[in-house]
Every structure is written in structure tokens, then in C-alpha cells.
Amino acid sequence: MFTQITLDYAFSELEPVLDTLTMETHYGKHHAAYTKAFNEAAEKAGLADKSAEEILGGLSAVADEALRTTLRNQGGGYYNHNLYFQNFAKDGGDATFAAEDAATKAFAEAVTGEFGGLDGLKEKLSAAAVGQFGSGWAFLSVTSDGKLVVTKSANQDNPISEGTGNRPILALDVWEHAYYLQYKNLRADYVKAYFGIVDWRKVAALYRG
């Protein structure tokens, strides 16, 4: 059974970047609804024993087109939100990028090599997020040969369901429900603030696998 990721922070602890009402609505309602619907679809498809990654990466094997679409949308919503909420911390921000541990050092070296440093990564991820027309996501992923890449996806798609072979390690949600209660139509303001709660130590751990 697929379950929502257990948060290691309280909703209120992400303020002022994300207010409590936004977190209550986003995690408690939107993410919960995706999780419930994904469980139902996976059960119907006979895939309840598979991981979310296996299901999303093997959608072409689902013969029923309507069920395949449901798995893509609801499974993507489940997976993307789990990743989104996983990498937050009440003490997040740039300081966590400089943590002195092996995983973070390896990740920092990869970021410097690919983007010139953390500012370069944030600039590229921000551009992808702000430039996504309509609802969607921006992702930082690891390619099959270990490189870092920034991409964007529409709706609840992600690099796995798109068949890229890339492994997402950071997700930036730009559906309006992620920010509209607090930031209204100012997506760029939300994207800028988002980096203040990212725990780069958590992202580094995912980079190391």
C-alpha cells in the first residue's frame, strides 16, 4: 500500500516560506487524494505489489488506456508530492549545502561541475519552474551516467513516467495549489522563497542513492 511520506517537521515550521494553511491543504488534502486514488488504480491494475517507480516506468505495459492514464496522473501526483515534501526542513536553506559530510561534499562537487555552484543550480531550476506553462513541476535529477540535469514536466508527469531514465532527487511544484493561497499569481516569488526551506543534506543523500 502506498502511503504519504511522514514529515519530520510540523506544518507551521515552514513559515514564512509556506504558511500553515497551504501545508494543511496541500499535504492533507491534495497529496492525500492522489495517494488514495493511486492505491485504488494500482489495485485495479494488479500492480499493488510494485513500487511507484516500477509502475510509472512501466506504463506502456498497461493495456487499458483509461487505467494507464489514471496511473500516470495519480501515481505521478503521489510520487512527485512525496519527493517535494521529503526535501524540506525548518532549518533549510543554503547553509545545509555546506554541511561537512561525505554525501553533501560529493553532491556539492557535482553541482559545481554541472552548474558552477549552488547559485547556478537555483537559477536553472527557477527558470524551469517559472517557465513551465500552466501546471507542472521542475526537477533536479541524476542521469543514468551520474550527471545532474534540470528538467520540467507538465501536469503530474516526471522523468520516470516520461521514460527518460533519469532519477529525480528534488521536485519543485508549480501547480497553483502549491502556492496560490499565499503568493497569489506571483509564481516567481514562491519559487525564490522555496529555496529557503530546501534541506540540501537530504537532496545530497538522494544523490548518493
Side-chain angles (χ1 to χ4, degrees):
M1 181 177 181
F2 299 106
T3 58
Q4 291 178 264
I5 188 167
T6 300
L7 306 182
D8 58 4
Y9 50 84
F11 291 160
S12 61
E13 290 180 326
L14 298 185
E15 293 189 353
V17 174
L18 293 176
D19 65 2
T20 301
L21 180 58
T22 294
M23 285 297 299
E24 288 174 346
T25 305
H26 198 179
Y27 179 87
K29 297 186 183 297
H30 288 281
H31 187 20
Y34 281 119
T35 302
K36 181 177 183 294
F38 185 39
N39 275 303
E40 292 170 351
E43 185 70 33
K44 185 175 181 180
L47 298 173
D49 61 331
K50 303 293 185 181
S51 68
E53 292 87 347
E54 288 173 322
I55 294 173
L56 292 172
L59 289 169
S60 60
V62 180
D64 185 304
E65 182 178 357
L67 185 54
R68 183 169 65 249
T69 298
T70 298
L71 288 167
R72 184 179 191 128
N73 292 337
Q74 304 301 332
Y78 164 79
Y79 178 90
N80 293 350
H81 283 95
N82 260 13
L83 182 59
Y84 175 74
F85 290 119
Q86 179 177 350
N87 285 320
F88 291 155
K90 63 180 180 180
D91 61 346
D94 290 5
T96 63
F97 186 77
E100 291 297 322
D101 62 78
T104 307
K105 285 181 179 179
F107 175 66
E109 290 173 1
V111 169
T112 298
E114 191 64 42
F115 305 106
L118 184 59
D119 287 344
L121 168 57
K122 289 197 281 186
E123 181 179 353
K124 192 154 189 177
L125 195 65
S126 296
V130 174
Q132 168 58 39
F133 181 78
S135 300
W137 297 77
F139 293 99
L140 174 65
S141 301
V142 183
T143 66
S144 58
D145 57 356
K147 295 181 179 179
L148 291 172
V149 61
V150 168
T151 59
K152 59 184 178 180
S153 300
N155 301 316
Q156 292 296 356
D157 287 345
N158 58 48
I160 299 173
S161 62
E162 291 166 341
T164 65
N166 298 338
R167 178 173 57 88
I169 59 174
L170 181 65
L172 204 175
D173 189 350
V174 290
W175 280 67
E176 287 186 342
H177 65 240
Y179 62 90
Y180 206 84
L181 289 175
Q182 184 173 357
Y183 294 90
K184 306 305 180 190
N185 62 322
L186 303 178
R187 179 188 289 187
D189 288 357
Y190 154 71
V191 169
K192 182 178 180 180
Y194 160 90
F195 294 105
I197 54 174
V198 171
D199 188 336
W200 295 105
R201 294 166 299 193
K202 295 179 179 179
V203 183
L206 291 176
Y207 169 71
R208 287 285 292 265

